[in-house]
Amino acid sequence: MSETKTHGNEIVISGHVQELVANPSALGLFGLAIVTLVACTSKLGITDGTAMIIPWALFLGALAQFVAGLLDFKHNNTFGATAFCAYGFFWFGMALSWMFSNGMFGLADKGVVIDMHQLGFAFLGYFIFTVIMTFGAMGANKVLFIIFFLIDLLFLGLFMDTLGVGGHFWHSLAAWSELGIAIMSFYGVAVNVLNSHYGFTVVPPGKPFGPLHKAKEAMSKSISA
């Protein structure tokens, strides 16, 4: 966008250059799909420990989502940027927590107290954040809503289990929800990549819905009328 002004015999052109940036959602969802697929295997008892989850948490869960969030800021997409950056930081935090618990920094040898309940309160905070974002996802598409709803269940199960409330049920809820997130995120990757690549709907994302979306449509109609 530019603006031309004339001052006497001088012509002044001012404005800014808009950098063209591709939709980063596929990258962010791919990172989410891979890290949740790997992480859920430990919760489901398919694999043991967390040491080999750390690289995937750092590079796919954390870095890929964080980069996608930064690019969404360029798209002026507050929802996508906040979501991807926030969950990217979550996986940075989880990777560091697993490093501590695996003794990678020698904390166990130094007698440092590690209280897992503190992690439980972090899960609680992310549960509250995700509930807020779920209302936003309704206005995007049904695939994104399902992903956020499953993330709600994941954090609900994680904070209840970590705080020691309600028994093994919450651990199972977290485990199966995380697997569901992985499956739906792969579907989301297909939606964003194939639909963008071919220029028409190859994989249906589902239309936005919900009372807030209807209110938005009503406001748009009243303004355009």
Side-chain angles (χ1 to χ4, degrees):
M1 181 183 295
S2 63
E3 182 180 359
T4 303
K5 295 181 179 179
T6 303
H7 296 281
N9 295 325
E10 296 182 356
I11 298 177
V12 179
I13 300 176
S14 61
H16 69 276
V17 176
Q18 177 64 50
E19 183 180 0
L20 183 62
V21 179
N23 185 353
S25 296
L27 173 64
L29 289 172
F30 175 70
L32 178 62
I34 292 295
V35 72
T36 50
L37 178 64
V38 176
C40 79
T41 62
S42 177
K43 294 182 182 66
L44 291 170
I46 299 172
T47 62
D48 294 319
T50 56
M52 292 307 295
I53 304 176
I54 293 172
W56 305 99
L58 281 173
F59 292 102
L60 275 299
L63 190 57
Q65 290 198 83
F66 185 67
V67 169
L70 293 181
L71 293 176
D72 256 338
F73 276 117
K74 288 182 174 290
H75 274 277
N76 194 27
N77 181 358
T78 302
F79 179 85
T82 303
F84 281 132
C85 285
Y87 293 121
F89 280 125
F90 169 79
W91 286 106
F92 276 125
M94 281 307 305
L96 192 58
S97 298
W98 283 328
M99 289 178 190
F100 290 155
S101 65
N102 282 284
M104 293 184 181
F105 297 104
L107 293 179
D109 298 333
K110 297 177 181 178
V112 175
V113 176
I114 298 178
D115 189 343
M116 295 301 291
H117 289 91
Q118 293 168 344
L119 190 58
F121 284 105
F123 292 148
L124 173 59
Y126 264 92
F127 170 71
I128 296 170
F129 170 75
T130 305
V131 169
I132 296 170
M133 300 301 284
T134 303
F135 284 101
M138 290 180 183
N141 55 64
K142 288 185 175 65
V143 171
L144 198 61
F145 169 77
I146 293 171
I147 291 172
F148 272 90
F149 179 73
L150 290 171
I151 298 175
D152 287 329
L153 297 182
L154 170 63
F155 282 120
L156 175 62
L158 285 175
F159 91 76
M160 292 291 282
D161 182 53
T162 308
L163 293 177
V165 180
H168 187 71
F169 167 80
W170 298 110
H171 178 85
S172 297
L173 177 66
W176 289 105
S177 298
E178 196 164 37
L179 177 60
I181 293 166
I183 294 170
M184 288 306 302
S185 294
F186 279 120
Y187 186 91
V189 172
V191 167
N192 283 274
V193 172
L194 297 179
N195 293 357
S196 175
H197 181 67
Y198 286 104
F200 63 91
T201 302
V202 179
V203 182
K207 294 182 179 180
F209 69 103
L212 294 178
H213 176 68
K214 290 180 180 178
K216 178 183 176 182
E217 285 188 325
M219 289 179 62
S220 298
K221 290 179 181 178
S222 65
I223 292 173
S224 60

